[in-house]
Amino acid sequence: MALSTSPYARSKLFCYSLASEWPVWLRVFVGVGVVASLAACSTPDPNQRVTGSGGTLVKYSSAQVSVDLTATERNALAGMRDRSFVGASSERALTAVAAALKASGYAPVTVEADTALVEGGRSEVLVQKWRELVRGVLKARLGGLPAKPDHQYTAALVSVRPAVSGPGVIVRARFDNTVWDSNGDARTKTVLAREDYDAFFTKVDAALRGNAAPLRP
């Protein structure tokens, strides 16, 4: 006995049979269009700024994403980025900050005495070399491997200003971290780990107590 089918089911069967007769290139083209339409409907993160885009379905370039801090994160940063050093002069503080950054692996470190700013950068490899080689071989042969963090760069910007009252200075630090993945895409966000700021200020204090050599022009 033949089973009856509804008009909706018959129309679905007709569409499926019609699509199955399409050339392969046409089916791929339609499928790509459907996926692209779905991706376009996704809501972007308002705290992320894409400064470069390398495509979604077809990877033709790298993408760079900058993540802005939320109001809660800005408040958290405000509570960890400043440290007072009583009795220290601006010159001694700048010298100590530079010494602390160098001790933390930042190079080069530049000091601008006229603006009381210190800058430095630190590069780090996140995976072992042999893992990079194995992944490169697999990606070349198989393709489509998910991206993994590959290396990172941390930029330090430190300012020194006189204390509000009494002798001493206030040192303000900010660390911005950029991570590149195995596809070449980058993601930048301000470091919010309190232990990183505490460790830096501890080294600044140690440099001040150790009477670091003064800066030379």
Side-chain angles (χ1 to χ4, degrees):
M1 181 178 65
L3 297 176
S4 61
T5 56
S6 66
Y8 174 77
R10 287 196 297 271
S11 65
K12 295 288 286 184
L13 290 172
F14 173 76
C15 292
Y16 176 79
S17 61
L18 181 62
S20 64
E21 296 176 359
W22 291 350
V24 174
W25 67 268
L26 182 57
R27 279 181 278 173
V28 172
F29 181 79
V30 172
V32 168
V34 171
V35 175
S37 299
L38 293 175
C41 294
S42 59
T43 303
D45 189 336
N47 289 325
Q48 292 189 4
R49 292 177 289 108
V50 180
T51 55
S53 179
T56 303
L57 298 173
V58 178
K59 186 72 173 178
Y60 56 84
S61 181
S62 59
Q64 300 82 41
V65 178
S66 298
V67 183
D68 297 327
L69 298 181
T70 64
T72 301
E73 290 173 330
R74 288 195 297 270
N75 291 334
L77 178 63
M80 66 181 76
R81 65 183 179 181
D82 293 343
R83 190 67 56 89
S84 298
F85 294 95
V86 179
S89 65
S90 294
E91 182 181 8
R92 288 183 57 216
L94 288 172
T95 302
V97 166
L101 289 177
K102 291 177 181 178
S104 300
Y106 288 82
V109 174
T110 60
V111 180
E112 297 181 4
D114 55 338
T115 57
L117 288 176
V118 184
E119 296 181 76
R122 181 179 65 191
S123 299
E124 297 174 273
V125 177
L126 301 178
V127 294
Q128 295 177 333
K129 190 65 177 180
W130 69 269
R131 290 183 179 273
E132 288 183 306
L133 294 175
V134 171
R135 184 174 182 82
V137 172
L138 292 176
K139 187 175 182 179
R141 291 181 176 272
L142 303 178
L145 294 179
K148 297 290 185 180
D150 187 82
H151 60 284
Q152 67 179 2
Y153 180 83
T154 304
L157 179 62
V158 187
S159 64
V160 176
R161 68 181 189 274
V164 177
S165 60
V169 296
I170 297 176
V171 176
R172 171 170 292 182
R174 178 180 176 128
F175 302 99
D176 293 322
N177 180 250
T178 301
V179 177
W180 283 266
D181 62 26
S182 52
N183 286 339
D185 295 333
R187 181 182 177 89
T188 301
K189 187 174 183 179
T190 299
V191 176
L192 294 174
R194 179 176 291 275
E195 58 270 20
D196 291 346
Y197 290 87
D198 289 343
F200 167 71
F201 288 127
T202 297
K203 291 181 179 179
V204 173
D205 183 66
L208 284 171
R209 294 177 184 276
N211 295 321
L215 296 172
R216 293 183 179 180

